[in-house]
Amino acid sequence: MNISMYFVKEIQYPHGKYILGTPSIIIDEGSFYRIDGTFIIDKFRIQSMELKGNRLTIHMNDQDVILVVEERKR
């Protein structure tokens, strides 16, 4: 799944939620994904991903991270 094809509007961790001021792109930095210049998701910790509607759930070794996304228009 190429998640860099989406804008992120919200990031939900088990301990909190971050609503971004403007939708941000997901930048593929090789071994990790960077969102909004601050949030980093380590690719080596990702076990699987699933997209349901506008919610992209990233299942990681120790937690699930939910991204509320919007598809980027080409």
Side-chain angles (χ1 to χ4, degrees), residues 28-40:
D28 187 339
E29 297 270 343
S31 62
F32 59 90
Y33 294 112
R34 183 183 303 273
I35 302 168
D36 197 34
T38 305
F39 301 96
I40 293 176

Side-chain angles (χ1 to χ4, degrees), residues 12-53:
Q12 298 174 3
Y13 289 99
H15 61 274
K17 179 189 321 186
Y18 300 94
I19 300 172
L20 305 176
T22 59
S24 296
I25 60 171
I26 301 170
I27 300 171
D28 187 339
E29 297 270 343
S31 62
F32 59 90
Y33 294 112
R34 183 183 303 273
I35 302 168
D36 197 34
T38 305
F39 301 96
I40 293 176
I41 298 173
D42 185 354
K43 287 184 183 178
F44 297 107
R45 293 177 42 215
I46 297 174
Q47 295 189 347
S48 66
M49 292 186 266
E50 65 180 308
L51 180 65
K52 290 185 181 177

